[in-house]
């Protein structure tokens, strides 16, 4: 088999291989068997790989001298089983809505291991969080402080909270950018004084307890430099709190956003190195200001669930399109698209795609994998080299679609959202069943 058949383990699920016939096999199950049993498009998760990545994250943050917590950012993709897997491997769960909270509760996660985020948590969101006993609520506005204090008082509890700081640092992939203006909706700005106002207010609230500080600087972060600048600013802020209120911050949540490889050349810091780097940064910053090292939390989402998940599509049509420079691009249409993967349209995200049901021939052409939606921006993989002999009925596999694909899926064009299955030791199981058109019609109030 040619090089084009190689499944780079940095990008594909750990168990993904090609069989003798060249077909992709994940968790011991062939993709054509999965497609036949569950239909396409189909999300397939390698359970052992999800668990291994969760375990590796917990291990990377398990040290003798510092207490740590690792939370799975459920917004990347959560089902009850996935919540159970990562919880069994030692992770708590971050939720960003009541919907995500209910999944974690349904999975039997101890509410105390759940952290609730969101820049606009309603009275009913916060009431539910307090009622079930969510461990930490991350405060994201001054208005929320009053709202939550009242709810906690009514419930007769003291709610532990974090303050989400805007530190003026943004990290994407290789660069950490310090931004003077902080023109975005999340967090409370240190520079503007809003963050300190929040601390002042929380410390006055009888039913809130300031557990710690939180910052989250971006996504697809490949090295620790952004965490270094952010942590420096957060610890400086903790010093201000100490000086102003004689109050020592006992927890520090450095957020998530640790990057993964989507395509050849993506080179994120390995998890054990990222863990060590973050712990070292916090230790040295605390030593500098003579502050005890707080409990450190991290919240990876994509880094746990991204690579263990792939999408299987069936090819429907193939169309050579002549470009301006008389070159040709093959448009390969699949049976899903922007409704199951919006990231290409939304972020210009890049993906790795290959033929999945057989080995790939040597002769390839510039290709674009597109969906079936009524939108020219409905692109799954913008630039791919795919064999010229691709035909209707072939299966394609797109790698690293475990995070922010099914979780961001829509019903555009009234397409039912795909099923999600997991594979392990030659067996498959459904995590989320495929939606049906009847499911969609059941929402329609009708005409009578
Ligand atoms: C999105 C988000 C995360 C997870 O981001 P990943 O890129 O999936 O690791 C963690 N914390 C917060 C506050 C977030 O908003």
């Amino acid at each position: 088999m040619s090089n084009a058949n190689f499944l780079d383990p940095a990008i594909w699920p750990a168990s993904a291989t090609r069989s003798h016939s060249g077909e992709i096999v994940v968790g011991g199950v062939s993709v054509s068997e999965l497609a036949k049993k569950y239909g396409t498009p189909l999300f397939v998760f390698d359970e052992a790989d999800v668990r291994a990545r969760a375990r590796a994250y917990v291990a990377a943050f398990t040290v003798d001298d510092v207490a740590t917590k690792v939370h799975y950012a459920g917004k990347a993709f959560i089902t009850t089983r996935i919540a159970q897997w990562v919880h069994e491997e030692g992770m708590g769960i971050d939720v960003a809505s009541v919907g995500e909270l209910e999944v974690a509760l349904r999975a039997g996660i101890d509410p105390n291991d759940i952290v609730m985020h969101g820049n606009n948590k309603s009275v009913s969101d916060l009431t539910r969080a307090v009622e079930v006993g969510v461990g930490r609520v991350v405060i994201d506005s001054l208005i929320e402080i009053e709202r939550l204090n009242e709810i906690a008082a009514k419930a007769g509890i003291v709610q532990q909270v974090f303050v989400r700081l805007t530190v003026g640092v943004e990290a994407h992939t290789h660069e950490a950018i310090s931004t003077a203006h902080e023109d975005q909706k999340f967090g409370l700005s240190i520079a503007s004084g809003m963050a300190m106002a929040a601390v002042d207010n929380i410390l006055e609230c009888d039913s809130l307890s300031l557990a710690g500080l939180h910052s989250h600087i971006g996504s697809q972060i490949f090295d620790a430099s952004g965490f270094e600048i952010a942590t420096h600013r957060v610890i400086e802020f903790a010093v201000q709190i100490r000086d102003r209120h004689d109050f020592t911050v006992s927890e520090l949540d450095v957020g998530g956003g640790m990057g993964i490889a989507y395509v050849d050349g993506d080179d994120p810091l390995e998890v054990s190195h990222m863990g060590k780097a973050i712990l070292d940064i916090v230790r040295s910053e605390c030593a500098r200001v003579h502050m005890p090292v707080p409990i450190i939390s991290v919240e990876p989402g994509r880094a746990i669930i991204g690579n263990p998940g792939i999408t299987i599509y069936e090819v429907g049509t193939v169309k050579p399109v002549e470009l301006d420079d008389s070159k040709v691009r093959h448009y390969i249409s699949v049976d899903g698209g922007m409704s199951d993967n919006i990231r290409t349209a939304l972020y210009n995200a890049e993906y790795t795609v290959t033929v999945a049901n057989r080995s790939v021939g040597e002769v390839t052409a510039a290709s674009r994998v597109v969906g079936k939606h009524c939108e020219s921006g409905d692109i799954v993989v913008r630039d791919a080299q795919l064999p010229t002999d691709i035909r209707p009925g072939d299966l394609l596999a797109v790698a690293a679609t475990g995070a922010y694909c099914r979780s961001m899926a829509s019903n555009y064009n009234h397409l039912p959202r795909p099923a999600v299955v997991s594979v392990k030791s030659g067996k498959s199981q459904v995590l989320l069943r495929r939606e049906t058109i009847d499911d969609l019609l059941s929402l329609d109030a009708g005409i009578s």
Side-chain angles (χ1 to χ4, degrees):
M1 277 187 272
S2 71
N3 258 351
N5 288 285
F6 176 61
L7 302 173
D8 185 344
I11 298 172
W12 293 88
S15 71
T17 54
R18 285 192 190 265
S19 69
H20 283 302
S21 66
E23 184 175 0
I24 294 180
V25 176
V26 192
V29 190
S30 75
V31 292
S32 57
E33 195 181 324
L34 291 167
K36 198 165 148 208
K37 188 163 179 188
Y38 301 107
T40 53
L42 182 68
F43 287 99
V44 181
F45 283 87
D46 177 343
E47 177 183 339
D49 195 17
V50 175
R51 286 180 177 275
R53 287 169 203 264
R55 215 154 45 231
Y57 244 93
V58 173
F61 283 88
T62 301
V63 287
D64 289 338
D65 63 321
V66 186
T68 60
K69 293 182 190 171
V70 183
H71 285 254
Y72 173 62
K75 72 178 206 255
F77 181 58
I78 192 166
T79 70
T80 49
R81 266 191 215 278
I82 288 173
Q84 277 177 347
W85 297 343
V86 299
H87 196 245
E88 281 168 13
E89 302 302 338
M91 301 180 87
I93 309 278
D94 270 25
V95 300
S97 69
V98 166
E100 290 173 13
L101 172 62
E102 298 299 345
V103 176
L105 294 172
R106 179 77 63 91
I109 309 303
D110 180 348
N112 199 43
D113 293 337
I114 299 176
V115 177
M116 188 179 223
H117 288 273
N119 67 298
N120 181 16
K121 305 179 206 74
S122 67
V123 170
S124 98
D125 295 342
L126 292 170
T127 302
R128 183 66 179 150
V130 165
E131 173 185 284
V132 303
V134 156
R136 303 279 181 272
V137 173
V138 183
I139 296 289
D140 200 298
S141 69
L142 296 181
I143 288 169
E144 186 183 2
I145 296 171
E146 233 176 286
R147 201 177 274 173
L148 183 59
N149 186 49
E150 249 174 60
I151 292 165
K154 242 186 244 165
I157 64 139
V158 174
Q159 178 64 51
Q160 302 282 328
V161 300
F162 286 162
V163 172
R164 177 158 178 173
L165 302 172
T166 307
V167 291
V169 176
E170 218 184 310
H172 291 290
T173 307
H174 306 294
E175 304 138 76
I177 309 156
S178 293
T179 42
H181 66 94
E182 309 186 334
D183 197 0
Q184 50 112 355
K185 72 172 185 173
F186 288 113
L188 293 146
S189 155
I190 296 176
S192 76
M194 187 98 78
M196 190 56 86
V199 168
D200 293 349
N201 293 358
I202 290 165
L203 292 176
E204 299 234 311
C205 286
D206 290 335
S207 300
L208 301 182
S209 168
L210 180 61
L213 302 175
H214 177 281
S215 82
H216 173 75
I217 53 173
S219 60
Q220 271 298 77
I221 302 167
F222 278 15
D223 65 33
S225 61
F227 291 109
E228 188 162 6
I229 313 172
T231 302
H232 177 75
R233 294 188 181 178
V234 172
I235 295 296
E236 284 294 299
F237 184 66
V239 169
Q240 287 174 34
I241 296 175
R242 182 177 64 185
D243 293 347
R244 186 179 170 97
H245 291 290
D246 193 24
F247 179 93
T248 304
V249 170
S250 58
E251 291 188 44
L252 171 58
D253 189 327
V254 301
M258 297 75 177
I260 65 167
Y262 285 97
V263 293
D264 206 20
D266 284 348
D267 190 21
L269 203 56
E270 205 245 309
V271 49
S272 63
H273 295 144
M274 186 62 103
K276 185 174 185 314
I278 290 174
L279 291 171
D280 283 346
I281 289 164
V282 181
R283 281 192 196 98
S284 77
E285 279 296 317
C286 291
R288 187 176 60 78
V289 299
H290 310 291
M291 188 176 280
V293 177
I295 299 169
I296 301 171
S297 311
V298 284
E299 316 167 318
R302 184 191 320 262
I304 305 300
I305 206 74
N307 296 109
I310 64 173
T311 312
I312 309 296
Y313 297 102
E314 186 178 302
V315 174
T317 66
V318 179
K319 189 191 283 180
V321 172
E322 218 165 288
L323 308 178
D324 288 346
D325 50 8
S326 83
K327 286 186 187 139
V328 170
R329 193 195 315 276
H330 288 215
Y331 274 76
I332 298 165
S333 294
V334 296
D335 49 357
M338 64 193 297
S339 55
D340 58 71
N341 187 345
I342 192 71
R343 293 190 66 259
T344 305
L346 196 56
Y347 310 121
N348 250 318
E350 294 182 293
Y351 282 96
T352 299
V353 57
T354 188
V355 179
N357 56 315
R358 59 186 171 91
S359 61
V360 181
E362 292 286 354
V363 185
T364 64
S367 305
R368 180 162 289 169
V369 179
V370 296
K372 62 182 295 172
H373 294 281
C374 300
E375 168 83 53
S376 55
D378 172 28
I379 295 167
V380 180
V381 185
R382 191 174 302 277
D383 290 302
Q385 279 291 321
L386 285 169
T388 47
D389 65 354
I390 284 187
R391 47 190 178 267
D394 271 335
L395 299 177
L396 296 185
V398 179
T401 58
Y404 304 107
C405 288
R406 182 59 179 79
S407 61
M408 291 180 136
S410 75
N411 291 119
Y412 181 43
N413 292 135
H414 268 239
L415 253 64
R417 289 175 298 175
V420 181
V421 302
S422 67
V423 288
K424 187 186 170 187
S425 312
K427 292 207 171 75
S428 63
Q429 66 177 351
V430 175
L431 300 183
L432 284 183
R433 75 162 168 82
R434 182 177 303 284
E435 261 176 349
T436 63
I437 290 185
D438 278 342
D439 286 331
L440 303 186
L441 282 172
S442 73
L443 301 173
D444 188 315
I447 52 176
S448 60

